[in-house]
């Protein structure tokens, strides 16, 4: 099939396939506000369904996708399993790796060949967090880091920075990551149990997602069903303290949004060399989680000051505008446009 021709100076028509952690929708919203022809093709939900149901939904969606995919000049495929969407319409594509597809799926005997094929056939490969670099570059030495964009929904002034003094003994604590070993399950559970012992009046909330969710409920965490993106952001914005990823050392989108929303974040951050500076959060590489929590509760003013710094840091390093600027040359390269 002949690739569609376009004027040299025109920006390509881009279709983002799949929306992982709101990254694609944030990027598309920014691009459209800039006058670019970017669109989103969200995949049908299959989590919790039987395997035959999952396959049927994917096949049906792939058939529906054919017309939309052919209208795009380039596809931006999110998550390593879904390169076949681009193959089905013979369009050049950027493959965007997000984390679990590299940390877990790439280790699966069944899924590994599909992901490697998607990586090798892509016109360009990007990854969302710098800790993925070595694993991805084993298959694509030219792969690059494309920092996840924050949604415009978090760019307004937050209702509050830091912690309100009246909740110092009964904070509302949100565990923002799924309950899974790749996210630090053992550390999440240990922390939840310690919080329940030390702050029995606290409220702990998380999402009913991950193999360790039943254990989290046993530890005293109230579990909510999977929430739409806007409602999940409201959950984060209403937290007194947010517990982020405790294993990989990379900040996920929920962690970054907690920072941008002015909430105290306890998470592991080990990527200062990639960013060029430290993230001003309560970093579990430097302080034990319970010590961090106690420090937040003990000094509301200091908490607010650090949250202000963290918000500025997140917006500076993860703006949607920067994502769009960085993506445009990738698309041009994939299309052979100088």
């Amino acid at each position: 099939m002949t690739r569609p021709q376009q004027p040299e100076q025109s920006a390509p028509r881009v279709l983002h396939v799949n929306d992982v952690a709101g990254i694609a929708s944030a990027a598309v919203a920014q691009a459209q506000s800039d006058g670019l022809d970017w669109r989103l093709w969200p995949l049908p939900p299959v989590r919790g369904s039987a395997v035959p149901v999952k396959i049927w939904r994917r096949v049906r969606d792939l058939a529906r996708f054919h017309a939309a995919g052919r209208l795009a000049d380039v596809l931006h495929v999110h998550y390593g399993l879904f390169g076949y969407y681009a193959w089905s319409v013979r369009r050049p594509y950027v493959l965007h790796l997000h984390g679990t597809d590299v940390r877990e799926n790439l280790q699966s005997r069944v899924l590994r060949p599909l992901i490697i094929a998607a990586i090798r056939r892509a016109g360009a490969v990007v990854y969302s967090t710098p800790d993925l670099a070595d694993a991805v570059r084993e298959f694509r030495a030219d792969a690059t880091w494309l920092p996840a964009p924050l949604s415009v929904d978090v760019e307004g002034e937050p209702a509050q920075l830091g912690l309100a003094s009246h909740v110092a003994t009964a904070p509302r604590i949100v565990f923002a990551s799924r309950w899974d070993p790749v996210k630090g399950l053992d550390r999440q559970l240990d922390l939840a149990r310690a919080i329940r012992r030390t702050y029995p009046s606290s409220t702990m909330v998380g999402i009913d997602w991950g193999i360790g969710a039943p254990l989290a409920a046993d530890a005293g965490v109230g579990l909510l069903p999977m929430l739409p993106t806007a409602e999940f952001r409201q959950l984060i914005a209403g937290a007194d303290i947010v517990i982020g990823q405790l294993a990989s050392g990379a900040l996920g989108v929920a962690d970054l949004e907690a920072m941008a929303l002015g909430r105290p974040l306890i998470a592991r951050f080990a990527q200062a060399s990639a960013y060029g500076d430290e993230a001003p959060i309560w970093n579990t590489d430097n302080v034990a989680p319970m010590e961090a929590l106690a420090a937040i509760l003990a000094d509301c003013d200091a908490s607010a000051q650090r949250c202000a710094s963290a918000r500025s840091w997140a917006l500076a390093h993860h703006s949607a505008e920067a994502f769009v600027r960085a993506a445009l040359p990738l698309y041009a390269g994939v299309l052979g446009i100088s």
Side-chain angles (χ1 to χ4, degrees), residues 310-332:
R311 170 177 163 76
S312 297
W313 188 95
L315 293 175
H317 287 290
H318 288 273
S319 73
E321 294 94 333
F323 182 99
V324 172
R325 288 196 304 270
L328 285 173
L330 288 172
Y331 304 148

Side-chain angles (χ1 to χ4, degrees), residues 7-321:
E8 184 174 324
Q9 298 303 318
S10 66
R13 297 166 296 180
V14 181
L15 182 61
H16 284 252
V17 179
N18 197 15
D19 193 15
V20 178
I23 288 174
S25 54
V28 168
Q30 179 62 47
Q32 290 180 348
S33 72
D34 294 341
L36 297 170
D37 188 356
W38 290 22
R39 300 177 190 276
L40 174 63
W41 185 272
L43 300 192
V46 297
R47 186 177 295 115
S49 302
V51 171
V53 174
K54 290 181 180 180
I55 294 173
W56 176 75
R57 288 180 181 172
R58 290 284 185 242
V59 171
R60 185 179 65 169
D61 187 62
L62 198 59
R64 290 178 54 245
F65 172 78
H66 193 74
R70 284 170 58 87
L71 289 174
D73 298 312
V74 61
L75 303 181
H76 189 133
V77 179
H78 294 262
Y79 209 76
L81 292 177
F82 301 120
Y84 59 83
Y85 270 78
W87 308 340
S88 73
V89 291
R90 299 183 183 179
R91 283 296 184 267
Y93 67 100
V94 172
L95 184 69
H96 196 139
L97 300 165
H98 285 269
T100 301
D101 46 1
V102 176
R103 300 186 190 104
E104 289 188 2
N105 300 156
L106 196 54
Q107 314 311 315
S108 164
R109 184 174 59 183
V110 175
L111 300 178
R112 179 181 173 88
L114 183 61
I115 296 174
I116 292 176
I119 291 172
R120 289 180 171 160
R121 294 174 66 173
V125 176
V126 298
Y127 47 90
S128 281
T129 55
D131 62 303
L132 302 175
D134 289 344
V136 176
R137 288 176 180 166
E138 179 182 346
F139 305 99
R140 281 294 293 260
D142 62 342
T144 57
W145 174 36
L146 185 60
L150 286 166
S151 167
V152 294
D153 291 348
V154 303
E155 292 186 5
E157 285 299 321
Q160 177 185 318
L161 288 167
L163 183 74
S165 59
H166 68 276
V167 295
T169 59
R172 178 177 173 81
I173 299 169
V174 171
F175 285 79
S177 296
R178 74 176 184 269
W179 305 94
D180 193 271
V182 74
K183 302 294 185 180
L185 177 60
D186 290 343
R187 299 174 192 179
Q188 292 170 309
L189 295 174
D190 288 346
L191 180 55
R193 294 173 184 132
I195 291 171
R196 178 57 63 227
R197 289 192 304 269
T198 308
Y199 301 97
S201 298
S202 64
T203 300
M204 294 188 293
V205 180
I207 300 298
D208 189 1
W209 183 22
I211 61 172
L215 297 174
D218 291 343
V221 180
L223 298 180
L224 301 173
M226 293 294 294
L227 299 173
T229 300
E231 292 182 27
F232 183 70
R233 289 193 185 113
Q234 291 176 357
L235 177 69
I236 296 294
D240 296 309
I241 297 173
V242 175
I243 309 300
Q245 299 189 57
L246 299 178
S248 70
L251 296 172
V253 172
D255 303 333
L256 294 164
E257 292 190 343
M259 296 166 70
L261 290 166
R263 314 317 308 134
L265 174 69
I266 298 173
R268 180 169 180 256
F269 178 70
Q271 304 297 328
S273 59
Y275 282 95
D277 59 350
E278 289 283 348
I281 62 172
W282 286 263
N283 185 355
T284 60
D285 269 357
N286 302 325
V287 59
M290 281 301 291
E291 292 179 14
L293 193 143
I296 294 168
L297 295 175
D299 194 332
C300 296
D301 290 339
S303 167
Q305 291 174 8
R306 187 177 297 193
C307 285
S309 297
R311 170 177 163 76
S312 297
W313 188 95
L315 293 175
H317 287 290
H318 288 273
S319 73
E321 294 94 333

